[in-house]
Amino acid sequence: MSCSSSSGSEEEEEGVDSYRKGGYHAVRVGDSFNGGRYITQRKLGWGQFSTVWLAYDTRSASYVALKIQKSAPQFAQAALHEIEVLSAIAEGDPSTSKCVVRLVDQFKHTGPNGQHLCMVLEFLGDSLLRLTKYKRYKGLELNKVREICKCILIGLDYLHRELGIIHTDLKPENILLVSTIDPAKDPIRSGRAPILEKPKGYPNGGVTMNFIEKKLKRRARRAVVGISERRASVGGIGGNPMVERCLNGIDMRCKVVDFGNACWADKQFTEEIQTRQYRAPEVILRSGYSFSVDMWSFACIAFELATGEMMFTPKCGQGFDEDEDHLALMMELLGKMPRKIAIGGAQSKDYFDRHGDLKRIRRLKYCPLDRFLVDKFKFSDTDAREFAEFLTPLLDFAPEKRPTAQQCLQHPWLNTRNLIQEEVKSESSLGKVEVGMSKLQIKVGK
């Protein structure tokens, strides 16, 4: 949520009640920060700790993302930690080639609700979640998935091997394209001039009115979308079936963002890490974690990009909770968890018996990953086999057996296009040799 053109929740705003002492700072278009250097252009998104704004940097004549933290002490402490991590990232990557978001500046801003720590980050585009939605959850072409995976792995390799940082919350929302899907939302490509002063007639302190107007507009948009979709589904007047969206012309390069929960491998703060659907088994079982938790999350993201659906969506059931269902879903796709791992965590007794079997979910329906890709998502046998060969090692129940980001970057699946080109060249060369040989045989025959 750090610096996206579309971050934050689409359905809800942060709430007027959060604009109070210790809470958010009320921002308006045209407000200036840090001695007039940054001028706000529009809101990009929000999170539990902060709001994020597109701002114009008058010193560098460029656009940036301005992240304004809530002012209460606990939020300020979280911001200081994130600044520390981002500073280390920026210091080791002066060329900004490591596929990780860059911290531009940081400062304090005093407002009616207290003192707010502010981070200035490079402006990036849409999240991978938005990209998946743009494709209407149909999945991306595998070559596009490869491009994105390479960028994420370059970022993870840098974080893990060079800095010793674990992200701990890798998910599609926390990976942003370097530019927007829609050029009109890009402040440079859209060709709009930057706002350098407050627009005339802008309401003073009109935060509440702003929220009401936005809610009404959202309801109207949802109503229009609902009508359009119903017409399309029944083939009514003007109802065209949804056309497959093409990604040609959209830059697939991306960067890892949001380091609010990141930690150094030798200085971990909490055992409760990762968003549910991307959580590794060792985190559920509380058996300790390291860089390999990010690799598990990466595999879940790659699957989601290729299929349009999350790999694991656990739910509570009769007699079992989300965690046990999550473990069951993992085993149905990846095979039975080795007993030593199943019973080796601080929370293992909550889910497994002494034999390494789940206590409450007894009947598992096993389906290997390659078969699952063919049966449910209609992958070709070859694509399914090759993709599964790339993902399966990353989903090993033994964390120490998962390949590193550096090792993944060497995997044949990521370089399939190059291999195909080499095969074509080889076949072409072989054809020339065979033609030459046939000519030689003719000459000998004379």
Side-chain angles (χ1 to χ4, degrees):
M1 199 287 330
S2 297
C3 41
S4 168
S5 64
S6 58
S7 53
S9 171
E10 293 176 18
E11 297 302 324
E12 300 173 1
E13 288 292 338
E14 58 272 29
V16 183
D17 294 343
S18 300
Y19 285 88
R20 52 179 166 75
K21 294 286 183 185
Y24 298 115
H25 175 64
V27 181
R28 294 168 298 177
V29 172
D31 280 355
S32 63
F33 289 82
N34 200 17
R37 178 175 174 180
Y38 305 106
I39 300 172
T40 51
Q41 308 291 300
R42 72 168 189 267
K43 189 173 169 188
L44 294 177
W46 65 278
Q48 295 303 314
F49 289 13
S50 61
T51 58
V52 184
W53 288 76
L54 174 68
Y56 184 72
D57 183 350
T58 57
R59 188 183 298 177
S60 65
S62 63
Y63 289 95
V64 292
L66 176 62
K67 184 173 182 178
I68 307 167
Q69 204 83 346
K70 284 181 175 177
S71 60
Q74 66 269 32
F75 301 118
Q77 194 60 41
L80 286 171
H81 167 68
E82 187 170 4
I83 288 167
E84 184 185 0
V85 174
L86 286 166
S87 297
I89 290 167
E91 190 178 330
D93 183 24
S95 63
T96 68
S97 61
K98 303 291 189 180
C99 299
V100 182
V101 68
R102 178 172 59 92
L103 179 69
V104 176
D105 190 12
Q106 50 102 0
F107 59 89
K108 293 174 182 175
H109 181 84
T110 302
N113 295 333
Q115 191 178 67
H116 305 262
L117 271 168
C118 302
M119 285 169 255
V120 182
L121 301 145
E122 66 177 310
F123 174 75
L124 295 170
D126 295 286
S127 71
L128 295 190
L129 177 61
R130 179 61 66 91
L131 185 66
T132 303
K133 287 180 180 177
Y134 177 78
K135 280 289 286 180
R136 301 193 175 104
Y137 303 101
K138 298 294 183 187
L140 280 60
E141 300 90 333
L142 287 178
N143 276 338
K144 302 291 186 188
V145 177
R146 287 186 184 93
E147 286 181 56
I148 292 169
C149 284
K150 282 180 185 177
C151 290
I152 300 171
L153 288 169
I154 288 167
L156 289 178
D157 180 46
Y158 173 55
L159 294 171
H160 295 172
R161 191 166 53 86
E162 296 189 42
L163 300 177
I165 291 171
I166 310 171
H167 188 282
T168 79
D169 195 20
L170 208 64
K171 55 184 175 180
E173 297 95 308
N174 287 341
I175 299 154
L176 304 184
L177 298 172
V178 296
S179 60
T180 56
I181 296 168
D182 180 0
K185 290 185 178 179
D186 185 282
I188 297 170
R189 287 186 294 161
S190 64
R192 284 193 296 270
I195 297 164
L196 298 176
E197 56 186 26
K198 286 187 178 69
K200 289 180 181 178
Y202 203 86
N204 289 319
V207 175
T208 308
M209 184 54 68
N210 215 15
F211 274 102
I212 294 167
E213 286 174 358
K214 282 184 177 179
K215 282 183 179 178
L216 289 171
K217 284 178 183 176
R218 268 201 310 277
R219 283 178 190 167
R221 277 201 302 270
R222 281 201 294 267
V224 170
V225 169
I227 291 165
S228 300
E229 287 179 350
R230 281 195 296 275
R231 281 179 175 175
S233 64
V234 298
I237 298 168
N240 298 317
M242 286 190 176
V243 179
E244 183 76 12
R245 280 176 168 165
C246 179
L247 298 179
N248 291 343
I250 297 172
D251 195 337
M252 290 293 118
R253 290 176 301 159
C254 56
K255 294 194 176 192
V256 179
V257 306
D258 201 340
F259 289 85
N261 296 307
C263 67
W264 275 269
D266 57 358
K267 192 181 176 183
Q268 297 175 6
F269 305 107
T270 178
E271 291 179 323
E272 294 180 15
I273 62 166
Q274 299 184 301
T275 297
R276 159 62 68 191
Q277 291 84 356
Y278 310 93
R279 191 172 295 161
E282 61 268 28
V283 177
I284 297 172
L285 298 176
R286 299 285 174 88
S287 50
Y289 65 86
S290 188
F291 304 114
S292 51
V293 291
D294 285 344
M295 302 312 296
W296 179 282
S297 299
F298 164 73
C300 294
I301 292 167
F303 176 92
E304 193 170 334
L305 289 172
T307 64
E309 292 188 17
M310 291 177 179
M311 183 177 274
F312 304 114
T313 51
K315 297 179 178 68
C316 296
Q318 197 168 1
F320 60 85
D321 64 10
E322 260 187 307
D323 282 329
E324 190 160 343
D325 189 42
H326 201 164
L327 294 166
L329 291 171
M330 290 174 181
M331 289 193 282
E332 286 185 329
L333 202 59
L334 307 168
K336 193 174 186 298
M337 189 180 292
R339 179 180 174 276
K340 185 180 176 181
I341 294 169
I343 65 170
Q347 300 290 113
S348 290
K349 288 181 180 178
D350 293 347
Y351 313 113
F352 291 99
D353 61 23
R354 60 192 178 89
H355 303 292
D357 294 315
L358 288 170
K359 286 182 174 180
R360 288 164 286 273
I361 304 175
R362 309 298 288 186
R363 294 181 181 178
L364 300 180
K365 299 174 183 177
Y366 294 103
C367 179
L369 182 55
D370 56 350
R371 200 70 253 148
F372 186 56
L373 290 167
V374 171
D375 293 347
K376 183 169 183 182
F377 300 103
K378 310 306 176 191
F379 274 50
S380 70
D381 288 337
T382 302
D383 282 344
R385 187 188 72 253
E386 291 175 350
F387 191 39
E389 284 172 358
F390 176 65
L391 290 185
T392 303
L394 291 161
L395 298 165
D396 199 303
F397 286 123
E400 68 278 2
K401 290 184 180 177
R402 290 173 209 151
T404 63
Q406 186 182 31
Q407 288 169 334
C408 285
L409 283 165
Q410 306 305 317
H411 196 281
W413 184 79
L414 281 181
N415 303 293
T416 298
R417 197 188 305 173
N418 297 339
L419 289 172
I420 291 168
Q421 286 171 353
E422 285 171 16
E423 284 171 11
V424 169
K425 285 179 183 176
S426 298
E427 285 174 9
S428 175
S429 301
L430 186 62
K432 287 176 183 176
V433 171
E434 286 174 350
V435 168
M437 287 295 289
S438 64
K439 286 180 179 177
L440 183 64
Q441 287 168 356
I442 292 166
K443 286 178 183 178
V444 171
K446 285 180 179 178

